Amino acid sequence: VRPCSPLRFRRGSASHRACLIARFNFIYAKERLEAEAALKRYFCDSETVQKIIYIAAVESFRAAKTAFWKVKINVKDTLAVCHRGGPSSLEVAVLDYIACHKDLYDVCSSVHEVVCAMNKNPKLPCPGQVDIVVISALIRELCCLAFSMQTLIPPLDIAFGIDGECFNKNMYYRSFDSDFTAPFVAYHVWPALIEDGTVIVKGEVVTKK
C-alpha cells in the first residue's frame, strides 16, 4: 500500500453512489443481455440462461466482498501508523483510500474464483456443460462494481433470493413470462440492490404456480 494520501473522495460520495447505482442498472439493461446471448449458443431455454446469470451475479458480489475485506485489513493496518484521528475517522480514511486506489483490487483473481465456483455449482441445471468463462466480461464488471460499492457508507449490496419464496412486489418486478397470479417465485432473473436493508433498485423474478 502506498503512503497516506489526502482525504478528498468522501466529499463526492453522493455522486459516486449515484454513479454506482446507474452502473448497476446499465449492467442489467445491456451487459446482462449480451451475456444471455452468449449463453444461448449453448442452451435452448431461457430459464437455464437466466438462472446461470443470476448465480453469476450472486457469486460475483460474494467474491468481491471477500476480496474487499482482505484489502481493507491491509490498508487499515498501514494507515493506522500515520493516522491521527479516532477509530471512526480511520474507517472513513480506509474506505476513501481504497475507493481512490482501485488497483489494489485483483479483479482477475475474483473472476477466476467465480468461474471455478460456477463450473462446480450443483445448483446449475447443467454444470460442466459449458465453461462459464464465456460470460467472464459480465462477471468482471459485476466484481468491480460490487467492490466499489463496499467503499460507500453504508455499502450497497444485493438481496439473496431463494427459489420458492413469496413474491415481494417491493423488492422484485415480475418477468414478462411470469404467471401474474402466482404468489411464489419460481426462479430469480436479477437481484435487487439494497442499502442498509432498504431496496434501492428492484430485481426481477419469474413467478409460476
Side-chain angles (χ1 to χ4, degrees):
V1 178
R2 292 170 291 282
C4 301
S5 58
L7 302 180
R8 294 187 293 261
F9 185 81
R10 190 57 48 191
R11 290 197 290 268
S13 60
S15 60
H16 181 56
R17 174 182 176 276
C19 288
L20 293 177
I21 293 173
R23 182 61 185 153
F24 182 80
N25 288 328
F26 183 81
I27 291 175
Y28 166 76
K30 184 177 185 295
E31 293 169 59
R32 174 185 66 94
L33 299 181
E34 292 175 350
E36 282 190 6
L39 287 172
K40 283 179 179 177
R41 295 198 295 267
Y42 304 92
F43 300 100
C44 296
D45 62 305
S46 60
E47 179 176 336
T48 299
V49 169
Q50 290 173 335
K51 285 181 177 180
I52 290 174
I53 290 178
Y54 177 77
I55 292 175
V58 171
E59 290 291 344
S60 295
F61 266 77
R62 181 179 289 116
K65 287 191 295 181
T66 299
F68 180 84
W69 176 75
K70 294 177 181 178
V71 169
K72 184 179 177 182
I73 290 175
N74 291 332
V75 172
K76 196 168 191 176
D77 288 344
T78 301
L79 294 189
V81 176
C82 59
H83 188 70
R84 297 293 178 265
S88 59
S89 63
L90 174 60
E91 183 75 11
V92 172
V94 169
L95 296 179
D96 285 348
Y97 191 94
I98 297 173
C100 291
H101 300 88
K102 296 182 176 64
D103 57 314
L104 292 172
Y105 178 35
D106 182 6
V107 64
C108 293
S109 178
S110 288
V111 172
H112 177 71
E113 180 183 336
V114 173
V115 170
C116 289
M118 292 189 66
N119 279 329
K120 300 174 183 177
N121 192 328
K123 293 183 179 179
L124 288 178
C126 305
Q129 184 173 332
V130 57
D131 192 343
I132 301 301
V133 74
V134 299
I135 58 169
S136 58
L138 173 68
I139 293 171
R140 182 184 181 87
E141 288 299 316
L142 286 169
C143 285
C144 289
L145 178 66
F147 188 89
S148 293
M149 284 180 169
Q150 304 315 300
T151 64
L152 298 174
I153 302 176
L156 292 172
D157 201 356
I158 57 172
F160 299 100
I162 301 174
D163 292 348
E165 66 180 316
C166 290
F167 172 71
N168 183 347
K169 66 179 181 180
N170 296 318
M171 184 171 287
Y172 300 113
Y173 293 109
R174 295 180 197 261
S175 187
F176 73 94
D177 54 348
S178 294
D179 179 342
F180 281 73
T181 63
F184 301 111
V185 173
Y187 62 91
H188 296 73
V189 176
W190 192 250
L193 188 66
I194 56 175
E195 179 184 61
D196 203 19
T198 301
V199 176
I200 303 300
V201 179
K202 288 185 180 183
E204 182 181 348
V205 297
V206 173
T207 55
K208 292 180 181 179
K209 290 183 179 178

